[in-house]
Amino acid sequence: MSHPKLTTLPQWRALQQHFAMIGPKHLRELFAASPQRGERLTVEDVGLYLDYSKQRVDADTLQLLRELAAACALPQRIEAMFHGDRINTTENRAVLHVALRAPATEKILVDGHDVVPDVHAVLDRMAAFAEQVRSGAWLGHGGKRIRNVVSIGIGGSDLGPVMAYEALRDYSRRDMTFRFVSNVDGTDFAEATRDLDAAETLFIVCSKTFTTLETLSNAHAARRWCLAALGDESAVAKHFVAVSTNADEVAKFGIDTANMFGFWDWVGGRYSMDSAIGLSTMLAIGPAQFREMLAGFHAMDEHFRHTPLERNLPALMGLLAIWNTNFLDAATVAVLPYEQYLKRFPAYLQQLTMESNGKHVTLDGAAVDYATGPIYWGEPGTNGQHSFYQLIHQGTRLVPCDFIGFGQTLNPLPAQGGGDQHDLLMANLIAQGEALAFGKTADEVRADGTPEALVPHRTFEGNRPSSTILAAKLTPHVLGTLIALYEHSVFVQGVIWDIDSFDQWGVELGKQLAKTTIAELTAPDEPKLAHDSSTNHLIRRYRQLRDG
Ligand code: F6P
């Protein structure tokens, strides 16, 4: 499955040669050379509009990137994923999050078994359960209806549900409280539950493996908290449900597997928010809106699978990321949603992108000699403008930006002086992209009457690349398409870099070492330590500080 070494491909070399030519060109020149660029370098499909004209590319760059994609067998690799091939080679697993949103009429085989009916059976069970809870038919141990839902999980079993709950809050049941506990820091659990009545609280324990230290610790804390209030082990059945692939561990914890919603090893944790891991989302927005979200994911899946690379949104985003990372040498991507409801979207994308593409060896295990996954980060606009945008505009590092905005707000608020505050928000989004691309020359600054000593400080070099993604309105459907856009863009990048975007061995070492360290921190007597001198001393100092 591995392709020949990326940097030896003639298509890579062609891009290097092309970069020598286009690299020094300013976006001002590129726009001057092609005045229609702002209309031409755009794609609109499945409800999303992508303007990539402010990326530092021209028609030749795009052609060469597509040729690189062909040389890396991108179309074949896309088919292999949709086909259920075991493309997660280091874990010998299929990668089929696309099956989670496939209509019931589709057939997707894993080892000869059609998984689509399984997916829909779980969805139907989730929907029936969600209806029971939302309608008040599902009662707590003491006979009260459930008003609070606390989802316990971490990483892929938390970031998606949190992000989706925040994103779709406008569609959620406002008479129910939704909380999320992830950190093993007891503060997370304590603050999430301090004002809740256990008799009205349902815990959803989300863990693919059901062995994750943080989640199990918090789940045990939740059970103690619940039983302390309700006093009876039989309360667990009414106040705990599990989402997992591991029925044995769920049963061991004491949750009846009748109250378990399953998923499968072909769903990666960071690709699981549209599986049963999204049960809290469904409880919040209801089964119909949840299915709308799945339809949005599926629309993007279809687009990705069937649209030629020229107009393929995830392929374009992925190839532009390759260009920015490997040719413009950008180490990061700022994701800047001009939509308050998407405030957790950058955090969600951090796991999706960095756990997927933070890899240093190819599928064959050879060390790469090129950069892979960039660092994703971001904050909603306009807040970020008053914080880190200074560095993006005038710093020494190149930070490509993804701006995300919507035509309509879910919360119209008249602006002073006319219009809606939403116009102010979007004016800022549009202005930022313009300022980053075109900047302000020293002569323009002088023409404003700026004293000469301040001219260098007030000059904006510009030529900072960005993409802008617009949609009509943030709906469950649009959220689904947006997430799938990034999922598949990550996939495209992984294919070009020839890495396994679906494993995460890098998280293991820290977990392992923590086990030894926990034993050393909790040993009754000062333990014999055999780490390096820094680690040894940190353990001693912690014990002293803790014990006073
Ligand atoms: O530590 C990384 C990780 O394995 C993620 O990939 C995963 O999403 C998270 O932990 C949680 O795992 P689980 O759902 O098995 O509790």
Side-chain angles (χ1 to χ4, degrees):
M1 197 186 289
S2 213
H3 56 65
K5 194 173 172 195
L6 183 60
T7 46
T8 64
L9 290 173
Q11 293 80 359
W12 185 269
R13 298 255 165 84
L15 276 160
Q16 281 175 322
Q17 280 167 13
H18 170 72
F19 177 71
M21 228 179 52
I22 196 178
K25 282 198 185 161
H26 197 288
L27 277 165
R28 283 194 285 258
E29 283 174 78
L30 296 176
F31 271 83
S34 167
Q36 304 305 313
R37 184 182 163 93
E39 287 148 49
R40 275 197 308 103
L41 298 193
T42 64
V43 179
E44 186 157 22
D45 203 358
V46 290
L48 297 185
Y49 175 83
L50 170 70
D51 174 353
Y52 59 99
S53 64
K54 295 191 182 87
Q55 294 287 348
R56 286 167 51 180
V57 295
D58 64 9
D60 291 341
T61 325
L62 295 163
Q63 175 63 27
L64 292 169
L65 284 168
R66 288 194 296 269
E67 286 170 15
L68 179 69
C72 296
L74 177 63
Q76 295 88 326
R77 295 290 303 280
I78 294 173
E79 267 321 291
M81 173 172 72
F82 278 88
H83 210 250
D85 292 1
R86 294 177 182 269
I87 62 168
N88 175 359
T89 51
T90 70
E91 294 181 326
N92 190 28
R93 286 177 181 165
V95 174
L96 271 179
H97 40 279
V98 294
L100 298 171
R101 51 264 192 157
T105 47
E106 259 185 47
K107 199 172 180 164
I108 302 176
L109 301 179
V110 175
D111 298 331
H113 172 76
D114 183 6
V115 298
V116 178
D118 301 348
V119 167
H120 283 268
V122 173
L123 271 174
D124 291 345
R125 280 189 61 228
M126 286 166 66
F129 176 70
E131 289 300 8
Q132 274 192 298
V133 173
R134 285 164 62 89
S135 68
W138 180 282
L139 296 177
H141 184 57
K144 285 187 172 180
R145 67 183 288 173
I146 298 296
R147 298 194 184 278
N148 315 310
V149 174
V150 180
S151 182
I152 298 176
I154 197 164
S157 297
D158 171 68
L159 289 161
V162 176
M163 180 274 289
Y165 171 65
E166 293 294 344
L168 301 176
R169 227 180 163 136
D170 192 63
Y171 302 84
S172 73
R173 278 284 291 264
R174 299 295 191 155
D175 59 348
M176 289 176 72
T177 299
F178 290 85
R179 302 263 168 88
F180 299 85
V181 177
S182 54
N183 202 334
V184 75
D185 182 342
T187 299
D188 205 11
F189 178 81
E191 286 295 336
T193 51
R194 63 192 300 277
D195 56 346
L196 302 185
D197 176 357
E200 300 181 336
T201 302
L202 173 78
F203 289 96
I204 309 175
V205 186
C206 297
S207 175
K208 181 174 170 181
T209 54
F210 227 79
T211 55
T212 305
L213 169 87
E214 292 89 337
T215 301
L216 269 277
S217 304
N218 282 321
H220 281 287
R223 190 165 60 183
R224 285 194 300 272
W225 179 83
C226 199
L227 296 189
L230 304 178
D232 187 342
E233 188 71 30
S234 63
V236 171
K238 287 290 168 194
H239 293 270
F240 283 81
V241 296
V243 179
S244 186
T245 58
N246 192 342
D248 290 347
E249 288 298 325
V250 169
K252 241 190 252 171
F253 176 84
I255 297 177
D256 186 343
T257 47
N259 291 340
M260 168 180 156
F261 300 88
F263 61 116
W264 307 271
D265 73 354
W266 40 261
V267 182
R270 53 195 175 273
Y271 297 86
S272 67
M273 58 159 291
D274 46 351
S275 71
I277 290 291
L279 183 60
S280 58
T281 315
M282 192 189 265
L283 283 161
I285 65 173
Q289 293 284 27
F290 191 85
R291 287 183 197 274
E292 267 299 297
M293 183 180 79
L294 296 184
F297 272 99
H298 181 66
M300 184 56 78
D301 295 342
E302 289 289 285
H303 166 93
F304 182 51
R305 192 173 185 183
H306 300 298
T307 309
L309 295 187
E310 288 87 333
R311 286 177 291 110
N312 190 310
L313 289 157
L316 274 166
M317 293 253 303
L319 292 173
L320 289 167
I322 298 287
W323 177 249
N324 288 338
T325 305
N326 299 113
F327 296 91
L328 295 187
D329 213 13
T332 86
V333 178
V335 181
L336 308 165
Y338 278 62
E339 169 55 72
Q340 187 62 21
Y341 283 125
L342 288 183
K343 66 180 182 190
R344 295 296 290 166
F345 193 58
Y348 167 76
L349 283 187
Q350 285 184 330
Q351 189 201 15
L352 179 69
T353 60
M354 298 202 270
E355 201 166 76
S356 295
N357 284 343
K359 310 288 162 65
H360 76 299
V361 293
T362 64
L363 292 170
D364 284 348
V368 298
D369 59 354
Y370 42 86
T372 61
I375 299 154
Y376 277 75
W377 57 288
E379 277 288 318
T382 58
N383 294 0
Q385 290 177 206
H386 299 271
S387 161
F388 51 79
Y389 277 42
Q390 165 64 36
L391 183 148
I392 305 182
H393 281 288
Q394 286 190 316
T396 54
R397 295 168 197 282
L398 190 73
V399 182
C401 299
D402 286 354
F403 291 103
I404 302 170
F406 297 89
Q408 298 152 39
T409 176
L410 293 163
N411 293 294
L413 207 57
Q416 237 172 335
D420 190 276
Q421 281 194 201
H422 188 63
D423 296 329
L424 303 180
L425 177 72
M426 291 303 290
N428 274 280
L429 178 156
I430 293 167
Q432 289 298 326
E434 186 181 13
L436 287 170
F438 302 105
K440 192 165 181 177
T441 64
D443 286 344
E444 287 167 341
V445 174
R446 276 190 201 101
D448 289 343
T450 308
E452 197 54 34
L454 284 184
V455 169
H457 298 278
R458 303 193 64 165
T459 299
F460 289 72
E461 184 189 38
N463 211 20
R464 275 123 159 103
S466 68
S467 292
T468 302
I469 299 165
L470 298 179
K473 190 163 91 171
L474 179 57
T475 60
H477 194 279
V478 165
L479 183 69
T481 56
L482 192 61
I483 298 165
L485 170 66
Y486 277 93
E487 284 179 347
H488 296 321
S489 160
V490 163
F491 174 82
V492 170
Q493 294 165 59
V495 168
I496 305 293
W497 287 323
D498 198 22
I499 56 182
D500 189 333
S501 298
F502 302 102
D503 62 14
Q504 58 284 317
W505 300 107
V507 300
E508 294 305 324
L509 179 60
K511 281 189 197 172
Q512 258 174 39
L513 293 181
K515 280 190 191 148
T516 315
T517 312
I518 291 165
E520 290 163 343
L521 297 185
T522 53
D525 300 319
E526 173 109 14
K528 255 184 99 186
L529 298 171
H531 305 272
D532 60 277
S533 60
S534 163
T535 309
N536 286 345
H537 200 55
L538 283 169
I539 291 169
R540 282 188 214 109
R541 277 305 281 148
Y542 169 74
R543 288 177 61 104
Q544 286 162 2
L545 289 167
R546 180 192 61 195
D547 301 337

